[in-house]
């Protein structure tokens, strides 16, 4: 009975895995197909070709889009983790007037989606003279209310004895953060960094709104432009989408152990 149950669970797991991987497999397969065979439902192309990829890189500055996305995602991730770890530690471990009110003000931003604030955000960025610049794209993406909340909860659970021992050794708040809190928070910072990087890499609405110069486009906006220039030419669009997926798959393959361990540690989904 136990073997039958395990076999049934295995079959269900395989089916769920195939359902999850099917869109990616079809995208990669179609990227290698001839234009007239994109929707022939075959998983393996009858006449595979690299022409779609060559066309994408030859007709639009796709390499620049990829470089812009990589630079944007890296800067947003590094700056976001630095600011959020320090501010979360301050909101969790330091005593100062209005601390809880400040935290709840930041926490309430989780309930506000980008489409609701995109117009005032656009006006602010325009007044700062940051339209059509990568800093203008990156700045609003750095703050992550959920990351601040999660890090604060982690620092609240940090044993107070460690902090007291460090203070007895003469450490101030910043040295306590640097030498005690930051090393302890590496697993949760790793998990958050991966999710922030993927969020910045896949960002579309805000980069589309704030950049009109093609040299500042990120890869998701570039793929959307392919759709506009080559309406119906799905072989080119899927080739661009396949290339855009490679860095995220590479990130998962390289850091899969850390991702799984950090998700288990932090409870992220």
């Amino acid at each position: 009975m136990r073997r039958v149950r395990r076999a049934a669970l295995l079959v269900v797991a395989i089916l769920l895995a195939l359902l999850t991987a099917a869109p990616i497999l079809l995208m990669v397969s179609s990227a290698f197909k001839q234009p007239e065979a994109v929707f022939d439902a075959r998983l393996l192309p009858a006449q595979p070709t690299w022409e779609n990829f060559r066309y994408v890189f030859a007709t639009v500055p796709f390499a620049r889009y990829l470089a812009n996305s990589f630079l944007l995602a890296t800067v947003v991730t590094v700056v976001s983790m630095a600011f959020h770890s320090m501010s979360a530690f301050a909101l969790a471990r330091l005593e100062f007037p209005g601390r809880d009110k400040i935290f709840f003000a930041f926490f309430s931003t989780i309930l506000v989606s980008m489409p609701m604030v995109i117009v005032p955000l656009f006006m602010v960025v325009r007044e700062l003279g940051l339209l059509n610049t990568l800093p203008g794209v990156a700045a609003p993406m750095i703050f992550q209310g959920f990351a601040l909340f999660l890090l604060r909860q982690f620092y609240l659970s940090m044993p107070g004895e460690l902090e007291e021992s460090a203070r007895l050794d003469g450490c101030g708040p910043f040295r306590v953060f640097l030498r005690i809190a930051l090393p302890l928070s590496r697993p949760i910072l790793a998990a958050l960094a991966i999710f922030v990087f993927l969020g910045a890499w896949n960002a579309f609405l805000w980069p589309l709104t704030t950049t009109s110069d093609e040299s500042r486009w990120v890869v998701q906006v570039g793929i959307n432009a392919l759709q506009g220039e080559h309406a119906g030419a799905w072989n080119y669009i899927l080739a661009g989408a396949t290339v855009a997926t490679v860095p995220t798959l590479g990130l998962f393959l390289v850091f899969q152990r850390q991702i799984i361990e950090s998700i288990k540690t932090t409870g992220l989904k």
Side-chain angles (χ1 to χ4, degrees):
M1 185 65 184
R2 182 176 294 179
R3 289 183 179 179
V4 174
R5 186 177 178 181
R6 290 183 63 181
L9 289 174
L10 182 62
V11 171
V12 172
I14 292 174
L15 288 175
L16 289 175
L18 289 175
L19 284 174
T20 304
I24 298 175
L25 294 176
L26 286 174
M27 177 188 69
V28 175
S29 171
S30 300
F32 287 94
K33 291 179 179 178
Q34 303 290 339
E36 63 276 7
V38 171
F39 298 109
D40 63 2
R42 290 184 177 180
L43 189 58
L44 296 177
Q47 296 178 324
T49 177
W50 288 96
E51 178 60 23
N52 299 328
F53 297 94
R54 190 205 65 79
Y55 186 89
V56 167
F57 280 94
T59 56
V60 296
F62 207 76
R64 177 179 286 275
Y65 301 158
L66 290 170
N68 287 342
S69 283
F70 184 77
L71 179 63
L72 174 74
T74 303
V75 170
V76 167
T77 303
V78 172
V79 177
S80 177
M81 290 303 100
F83 281 155
H84 284 92
S85 58
M86 287 189 286
S87 54
F89 179 80
L91 290 171
R93 310 299 301 193
L94 301 183
E95 295 288 344
F96 54 88
R99 184 189 67 170
D100 292 339
K101 292 180 180 177
I102 293 173
F103 167 69
F104 283 113
F106 284 128
F107 180 70
S108 63
T109 60
I110 296 177
L111 306 175
V112 182
S113 61
M114 174 59 81
M116 293 175 65
V117 297
I118 197 165
V119 173
L121 200 58
F122 179 86
M123 295 171 67
V124 171
V125 172
R126 184 186 61 186
E127 292 301 316
L128 292 174
L130 294 177
L131 284 182
N132 274 320
T133 65
L134 288 180
V137 179
M141 299 167 64
I142 289 174
F143 176 72
Q144 306 277 341
F146 178 71
L148 181 67
F149 166 74
L150 204 62
L151 283 168
R152 178 181 177 270
Q153 297 306 109
F154 176 82
Y155 290 133
L156 282 175
S157 65
M158 191 175 73
E161 292 80 4
L162 294 175
E163 186 177 353
E164 292 175 6
S165 300
R167 290 187 184 280
L168 289 175
D169 289 339
C171 293
F174 185 71
R175 290 181 67 187
V176 172
F177 164 73
L178 205 60
R179 296 190 175 186
I180 305 296
L182 200 56
L184 288 175
S185 58
R186 275 187 300 184
I188 191 171
L189 281 175
L192 285 173
I194 291 165
F195 285 105
V196 170
F197 184 92
L198 293 179
W201 181 270
N202 293 319
F204 172 70
L205 181 58
W206 175 245
L208 176 67
T209 304
T210 192
T211 55
S212 56
D213 186 350
E214 192 177 7
S215 64
R216 301 290 186 272
W217 284 356
V218 295
V219 68
Q220 306 300 339
V221 179
I223 293 172
N224 180 65
L226 278 175
Q227 190 172 8
E229 292 181 8
H230 308 283
W234 284 98
N235 51 325
Y236 301 140
I237 297 167
L238 292 174
T242 300
V243 174
T245 307
V246 170
T248 56
L249 288 178
L251 186 70
F252 175 76
L253 292 175
V254 172
F255 297 105
Q256 58 179 319
R257 178 177 297 179
Q258 289 85 346
I259 293 172
I260 294 171
E261 288 298 323
S262 57
I263 289 174
K264 286 163 59 181
T265 303
T266 61
L268 285 175
K269 294 182 179 178

